[in-house]
Amino acid sequence: MRRSHIYLAAVAVATLGVVIAAPGTAQEGPPPAETPIDEVSPGTQAPALSPDQQAEYDGWPPDRKFAYDAWPAETQTYYWSLEPERQALFWRLADEDKIAITAMTGTEREAAWEIIEKNAAGSGDQTDEMPPPPGEG
C-alpha cells in the first residue's frame, strides 16, 4: 500500500474518532431555512492576534493569508501556540491534517509531531501528508 494511502486512512480514522467523540456536534444540521443567511452567526470567531502575530500575518503573501483564514478558529489558535519550527512544518501539512492534529490530545499530538519532525529531518523534502496516529503505522 502506498504511504500516502496509509496516511489518508489514518486521517480518516482520526476524523471518525472526533465524530464519535462529539456525536451531538457532528449531527447538527444547517440553520432553519427561515433564518436569513446574514443573520446566522458563525460557530466560532477567529482568535484575536497579538501585535507580533498581526505583524507576522501582515507580512504573509495573500495565498498564505487566505489559507490561514480558511482554517477553523481552533486550528488558528493552535497554530499560534506552536514554536516557529513547528509552525513551518504545520504549513507543509494538508489542511485536513492540520485540523486532525488540532483535534488530537496532548500525548497523541506529541507523538504525531515526533513523527512529523523525524520525517522532515530524514527526507529533507516537503510533505503534504501527516503521519498516521500512534499505533497505526
Side-chain angles (χ1 to χ4, degrees), residues 8-73:
L8 183 59
V11 169
V13 169
T15 303
L16 183 60
V18 170
V19 171
I20 290 171
T25 304
Q27 295 184 14
E28 286 181 358
E34 63 273 356
T35 305
I37 192 70
D38 59 346
E39 292 179 20
V40 177
S41 61
T44 56
Q45 295 292 326
L49 301 180
S50 71
D52 290 341
Q53 292 169 342
Q54 187 66 50
E56 183 177 337
Y57 175 88
D58 291 342
W60 290 344
D63 59 333
R64 182 168 275 201
K65 288 179 184 179
F66 181 78
Y68 172 87
D69 292 341
W71 298 345

Side-chain angles (χ1 to χ4, degrees), residues 47-50 52-58 60 68 71 73-84 87 90-91:
L49 301 180
S50 71
D52 290 341
Q53 292 169 342
Q54 187 66 50
E56 183 177 337
Y57 175 88
D58 291 342
W60 290 344
Y68 172 87
W71 298 345
E74 296 82 13
T75 303
Q76 292 175 359
T77 300
Y78 178 66
Y79 170 80
W80 293 113
S81 73
L82 296 172
E83 297 175 8
Q87 285 180 346
F90 198 72
W91 281 110

Side-chain angles (χ1 to χ4, degrees), residues 69-126:
D69 292 341
W71 298 345
E74 296 82 13
T75 303
Q76 292 175 359
T77 300
Y78 178 66
Y79 170 80
W80 293 113
S81 73
L82 296 172
E83 297 175 8
E85 297 81 18
R86 285 191 174 177
Q87 285 180 346
L89 290 173
F90 198 72
W91 281 110
R92 294 165 55 179
L93 300 173
D95 283 349
E96 297 83 14
D97 297 337
K98 292 173 182 135
I99 294 168
I101 201 167
T102 301
M104 292 179 181
T105 61
T107 55
E108 56 186 6
R109 181 185 288 165
E110 203 50 44
W113 272 115
E114 288 175 15
I115 296 169
I116 292 168
E117 290 168 338
K118 179 180 168 187
N119 287 346
S123 66
D125 63 350
Q126 293 189 357

